[in-house]
Amino acid sequence: LTWEYGAQIRATFQPYFAYCIIKLLETFHCYDPFLTATVLRLISAVLGWMGSFLVSIVGLHYIENAWLRKFFIIMSSVFAPLIFVHVHFSSEGWSGSLAFTGMAVAMLLIQKKDRETKAGTIALFLLSGFLMGLSYICRFQSVIVVFAFMLWLLFIAKLSFKNLSWISLGIMAAIRLEERRVGKECRS
């Protein structure tokens, strides 16, 4: 078992999300455990597919050979292990999908020529950070991936401190929202 099990510090973001889906289904009088599992798996699959899709778009920028580009698209779309990982409602799957989606959004902004701090760009950098923050909330070990990506943004991509601070603010906002939600539940 992972170290969180013994320390009893498992994140509650996903159980809370599942609880909200169950309450939503109960509101429409169509609660069924199998339907709930199907809905959660569909949401997980869409989240995973979106992460794979965005990473593919980012990766195409770096591949010049037309045959390799086609091969890359096919492999990233139908690579069997990813399909099985994406449909499971697990903290590992969600953490990876959210982290890669957030990283892909940031890298798409880096690839743009005019990436100076316009309102839309700031919002996308915040979204990128927020997604990476949710990744951390789902699985604490993803902090290693997010930290390494932030170092890459700083030293390799040479992203400005202003834009890095927008991403960091997004990460802190996600963590703070989760802290407030958990604190509110503990008080009640």
Side-chain angles (χ1 to χ4, degrees), residues 51-62:
S52 294
F53 178 73
L54 288 173
V55 167
S56 297
I57 290 174
V58 168
L60 287 175
H61 178 76
Y62 299 101

Side-chain angles (χ1 to χ4, degrees), residues 12-60:
T12 62
F13 170 70
Q14 281 185 286
Y16 181 73
F17 184 81
Y19 171 79
C20 291
I21 294 295
I22 290 168
K23 287 299 179 187
L24 181 69
L25 290 173
E26 284 177 351
T27 302
F28 293 110
H29 303 291
C30 57
Y31 173 73
D32 176 24
F34 299 106
L35 178 63
T36 303
T38 302
V39 169
L40 291 173
R41 287 180 180 161
L42 284 173
I43 293 169
S44 298
V46 168
L47 183 64
W49 180 82
M50 185 175 28
S52 294
F53 178 73
L54 288 173
V55 167
S56 297
I57 290 174
V58 168
L60 287 175

Side-chain angles (χ1 to χ4, degrees), residues 116-186:
E116 291 310 310
T117 53
K118 296 177 185 167
T121 305
I122 291 172
L124 287 174
F125 275 126
L126 283 169
L127 173 66
S128 171
F130 191 79
L131 291 171
M132 287 187 275
L134 287 178
S135 169
Y136 168 75
I137 290 168
C138 287
R139 188 93 172 137
F140 300 124
Q141 290 89 341
S142 68
V143 73
I144 297 166
V145 173
V146 172
F147 181 70
F149 181 69
M150 296 293 279
L151 289 176
W152 181 85
L153 287 174
L154 180 64
F155 294 115
I156 306 297
K158 307 236 187 277
L159 193 64
S160 69
F161 282 111
K162 186 188 295 186
N163 290 336
L164 276 173
S165 65
W166 289 119
I167 294 173
S168 299
L169 188 64
I171 292 170
M172 289 185 286
I175 294 169
R176 181 66 183 136
L177 282 173
E178 178 67 3
E179 286 177 352
R180 287 188 67 205
R181 185 190 65 78
V182 171
K184 188 176 173 184
E185 287 179 6
C186 289

